[in-house]
């Protein structure tokens, strides 16, 4: 069967051929040649141009397993609300919303949107998705965060109302998280800006381990505005990710935490390094089930002994890594828990008071120095941090032993309560103290923390008549837990990213969420591959 050639291609060949080959060789043919060429060029100029080169996908290294999962989940999902590059709440699947004067009702109007595959997004899909989260299908913490929701209804196909028992403005941020992504009833389809790219064909190289390819979702409600049509995400160690970025093999590095920050500072271009000040806290969890940590005086002594003001500059090279003296980091909106009584004491006076408390608890380091095991992940940066804290503990007569585990095994040990002390990072994209407080409730942990009076304050906060009263109840609960030594606050960590000069649409923000849909490539700047 003869191969078909598009007419536009034939015309371009005819236009570019010598006159004799076009059958227009004589002088009398010149007017005709000019006329045909003018008409043809006017109609088919675009067809004669070379095909534009396909834009290469955005290539991103992610240096933290949990961050990798979050970035993928955020890319393929959509909630009622979304975030702009600065972390502010903007419309998502809801084109608008109205909050009642008392803050106890939020009414959302849905936009004309479709799930991947083309099914329309309806209010019934929204109600079912939120009700599943309220039932615990998105995890226990999300269920607890939704404890203030009293009802979710769909009075019209494009209207959703959420009723609350107390003003909870952070619910708008929570609705932007992948945990509250809206799914289609029955198919469970999502409505995110991206979808998993088709799997490689038999002749294509297979995907590397820890690699995900995403493609723009043509059914997304704002598909036309997506500048980046394809994304390659690679889960890598910090050293490998920084090396590849510096060589020009990747466009970005995301998910940076403790490890790799020093290397990025030294080796990457200064303008490429971006630092987030996230809503996060490094804490030492305390297992209160066994001695000597079952004694509140010992727990208080450990908290007094840490020189937090030195940790920010020493471990992060920045005063922005602020001390955490309670359970929550500074900067949460409308939330100002009172610092512990000892926070105003000079460091030398705190250490002296720590020695006194240990003596009252019957610990005499001069006779026998107690040893405490601290569980950490197999992170060089965590080891450096705990080495600095170990020096502070040694000054009051307590020695520290490190128990290193792979990150997944460390998380399991923490969940199981299989530790004496454990270094953890608590982080949330939500402007709320709840993610830092909820794990301390009786029955919510396996390391013996239980303070019924603090639990009662948290429960009462869900029916507080005003936002200020709700926050006051939460602050009072935090103070009780902090004084009891439920956990020992250390410092607010920084997050880091590396961003190529080719990338636009990236901005640091306190949620530390950097949605792929906001990014664009400046194709005039080349990337060496």
């Amino acid at each position: 069967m003869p191969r078909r050639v598009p007419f536009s291609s034939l015309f371009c060949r005819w236009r570019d051929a010598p006159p004799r080959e076009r059958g227009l060789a004589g002088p009398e043919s010149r007017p005709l040649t000019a006329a045909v060429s003018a008409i043809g060029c006017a109609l088919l100029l675009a067809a004669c141009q070379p095909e534009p080169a396909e834009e290469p996908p955005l290539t991103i290294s992610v240096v933290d397993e949990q961050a990798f999962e979050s970035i993928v989940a955020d890319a393929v999902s959509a909630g009622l609300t979304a975030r702009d590059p600065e972390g502010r709440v903007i419309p998502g699947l809801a084109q608008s919303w109205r909050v009642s004067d008392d803050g106890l009702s939020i009414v959302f109007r849905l936009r004309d949107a479709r799930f991947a595959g083309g099914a329309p997004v309806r209010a019934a899909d929204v109600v079912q998705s939120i009700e599943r989260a309220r039932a615990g299908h998105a995890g226990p913490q999300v269920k607890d965060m939704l404890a203030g929701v009293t009802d979710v209804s769909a009075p019209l196909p494009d209207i959703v109302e959420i009723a609350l028992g107390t003003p909870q403005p952070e619910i708008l941020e929570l609705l932007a998280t992948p945990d509250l992504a809206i799914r289609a009833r029955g198919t469970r389809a999502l409505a995110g800006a991206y979808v998993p790219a088709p799997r490689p064909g038999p002749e294509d190289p297979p995907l590397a381990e820890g690699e995900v390819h995403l493609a723009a979702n043509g059914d997304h409600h704002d598909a036309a505005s997506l500048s980046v049509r394809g994304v390659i995400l690679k889960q890598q160690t910090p050293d490998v990710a920084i090396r590849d970025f510096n060589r020009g093999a990747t466009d970005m590095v995301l998910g940076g935490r403790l490890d790799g920050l020093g290397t990025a500072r030294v080796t990457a271009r200064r303008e490429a390094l971006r630092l987030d000040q996230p809503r996060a806290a490094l804490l030492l969890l305390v297992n209160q089930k066994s001695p000597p940590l079952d004694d509140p005086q010992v727990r208080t002594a450990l908290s007094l002994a840490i020189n937090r003001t030195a940790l920010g500059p020493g471990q992060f090279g920045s005063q922005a890594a602020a001390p955490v003296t309670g359970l929550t980091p500074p900067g949460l909106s409308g939330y100002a828990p009172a610092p512990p009584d000892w926070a105003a004491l000079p460091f030398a006076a705190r250490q002296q008071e720590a020695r006194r408390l240990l003596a009252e608890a019957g610990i005499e380091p001069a006779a026998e120095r107690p040893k405490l095991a601290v569980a950490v992940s197999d992170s060089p940066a965590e080891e450096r941090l705990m080495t600095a804290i170990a020096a502070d503990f040694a000054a009051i007569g307590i020695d520290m032993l490190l128990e290193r585990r792979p990150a997944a095994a460390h998380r399991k040990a923490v969940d199981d309560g299989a530790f004496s002390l454990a270094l953890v990072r608590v982080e949330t994209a939500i402007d709320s103290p709840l993610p830092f407080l909820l794990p301390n409730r009786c029955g919510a942990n396996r390391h013996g923390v239980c303070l019924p009076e603090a639990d009662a304050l948290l429960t009462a906060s869900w029916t507080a008549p005003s936002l200020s009263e709700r926050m006051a109840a939460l602050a009072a609960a935090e103070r009780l837990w902090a004084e009891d030594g439920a956990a020992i606050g250390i410092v607010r960590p920084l997050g880091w990213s590396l961003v190529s000069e080719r990338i636009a649409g990236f901005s640091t923000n306190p949620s530390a969420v950097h949605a792929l849909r906001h990014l664009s490539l400046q194709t005039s700047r080349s990337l060496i591959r």
Side-chain angles (χ1 to χ4, degrees):
M1 183 175 179
R3 184 170 65 91
R4 294 182 178 179
V5 180
F7 171 73
S8 58
S9 298
L10 292 174
F11 171 79
C12 294
R13 293 178 190 173
W14 175 85
R15 183 201 63 182
D16 297 333
R20 288 186 180 279
E21 296 182 16
R22 284 185 273 163
L24 300 168
E28 68 284 355
S29 67
R30 289 173 186 167
L32 176 61
T33 302
V36 172
S37 294
I39 295 171
C41 286
L43 296 175
L44 298 170
L45 182 60
C48 296
Q49 302 302 315
E51 290 292 325
E54 184 178 348
E55 181 181 293
L58 185 68
T59 305
I60 302 175
S61 297
V62 186
V63 296
D64 178 82
E65 179 183 356
Q66 292 176 305
F68 184 85
E69 294 172 355
S70 296
I71 291 168
V72 174
D74 181 76
V76 301
S77 65
L80 282 177
T81 59
R83 288 188 180 88
D84 69 7
E86 286 74 36
R88 295 181 294 255
V89 175
I90 58 174
L93 295 179
Q95 62 179 337
S96 63
W97 57 84
R98 178 179 57 80
V99 182
S100 62
D101 292 341
D102 60 6
L104 301 183
S105 171
I106 309 176
V107 177
F108 298 86
R109 180 177 296 277
L110 302 184
R111 68 170 75 247
D112 183 12
R114 297 185 177 276
F115 294 104
V121 177
R122 298 290 188 233
D125 301 306
V126 176
V127 172
Q128 184 186 76
S129 298
I130 297 176
E131 291 291 13
R132 284 178 58 84
R134 292 179 70 198
H137 292 278
Q141 187 175 93
V142 177
K143 177 182 178 181
D144 293 338
M145 291 281 292
L146 292 171
V149 175
T150 59
D151 187 52
V152 185
S153 61
L156 293 171
D158 63 340
I159 299 294
V160 174
E161 181 176 7
I162 296 178
L164 302 167
T166 185
Q168 193 178 356
E170 74 271 17
I171 196 78
L172 292 173
E173 288 184 292
L174 188 61
L175 291 169
T177 64
D179 291 324
L180 282 174
I182 306 306
R183 288 180 174 271
R185 290 165 297 159
T187 66
R188 308 289 295 150
L190 293 163
Y194 292 90
V195 293
R199 291 187 172 274
E203 299 180 358
D204 299 321
L207 297 183
E209 184 178 357
E211 188 169 301
V212 169
H213 290 202
L214 301 175
N217 175 16
D219 293 318
H220 186 250
H221 64 84
D222 201 19
S225 72
L226 292 178
S227 175
V228 174
R229 310 302 296 176
V231 182
I232 298 175
L233 292 164
K234 301 179 179 182
Q235 186 177 336
Q236 296 178 313
T237 64
D239 287 344
V240 171
I242 294 168
R243 180 202 65 194
D244 286 356
F245 179 84
N246 289 337
R247 290 177 176 177
T250 58
D251 300 286
M252 303 177 70
V253 178
L254 295 178
R257 295 190 170 183
L258 284 175
D259 287 309
L261 176 56
T263 303
R265 269 204 172 100
V266 172
T267 64
R269 298 185 311 276
R270 178 179 297 180
E271 64 274 13
L273 179 62
R274 312 289 182 88
L275 297 179
D276 285 310
Q277 297 180 37
R279 302 181 186 105
L282 290 176
L283 306 173
L284 273 179
L285 299 187
V286 182
N287 195 324
Q288 300 185 5
K289 291 182 176 181
S290 57
L293 296 175
D294 59 344
D295 189 328
Q297 289 184 304
V298 175
R299 300 195 294 268
T300 301
L302 294 179
S303 189
L304 285 165
I306 299 173
N307 187 2
R308 294 167 177 80
T309 57
L311 292 176
Q315 301 297 316
F316 296 93
S318 172
Q319 295 285 358
V324 173
T325 56
L327 305 180
T328 56
L332 297 175
S333 297
Y335 186 70
D341 295 336
W342 52 259
L345 294 175
F347 178 57
R350 297 209 311 268
Q351 287 211 316
Q352 183 177 351
E353 176 65 9
R355 295 186 192 98
R356 187 189 68 79
L357 290 173
L358 291 178
E360 285 189 3
I363 295 176
E364 295 292 344
E368 182 179 359
R369 292 174 68 90
K371 293 180 172 59
L372 293 178
V374 181
V376 298
S377 68
D378 53 356
S379 155
E382 287 190 9
E383 183 173 341
R384 288 193 299 271
L385 174 67
M386 292 313 304
T387 298
I389 294 175
D392 293 336
F393 286 176
I396 64 169
I398 292 181
D399 293 331
M400 181 189 296
L401 301 174
L402 290 184
E403 293 181 340
R404 303 176 185 85
R405 297 182 178 93
H410 176 63
R411 290 195 295 271
K412 185 176 187 306
V414 170
D415 291 342
D416 294 343
F419 62 88
S420 295
L421 294 169
L423 179 65
V424 297
R425 178 187 178 117
V426 182
E427 184 169 3
T428 177
I430 310 304
D431 191 5
S432 168
L434 285 175
F436 304 91
L437 304 182
L438 290 170
N440 301 297
R441 294 165 303 151
C442 301
N445 62 85
R446 296 185 179 180
H447 49 276
V449 174
C450 180
L451 211 57
E453 54 267 43
D455 286 7
L457 285 166
L458 193 147
T459 300
S461 74
W462 290 120
T463 55
S466 67
L467 180 60
S468 60
E469 290 172 281
R470 175 175 170 242
M471 290 300 178
L474 294 178
E478 177 179 352
R479 185 173 177 87
L480 290 176
W481 276 313
E483 289 177 344
D484 187 61
I488 298 172
I490 302 175
V491 69
R492 177 180 64 187
L494 302 181
W496 62 270
S497 305
L498 293 175
V499 183
S500 165
E501 61 183 4
R502 290 169 17 106
I503 301 294
F506 180 96
S507 180
T508 58
N509 64 76
S511 68
V513 174
H514 305 290
L516 303 182
R517 61 184 174 274
H518 297 311
L519 303 177
S520 60
L521 278 169
Q522 300 179 37
T523 54
S524 59
R525 300 176 183 266
S526 63
L527 175 68
I528 301 172
R529 295 197 182 276

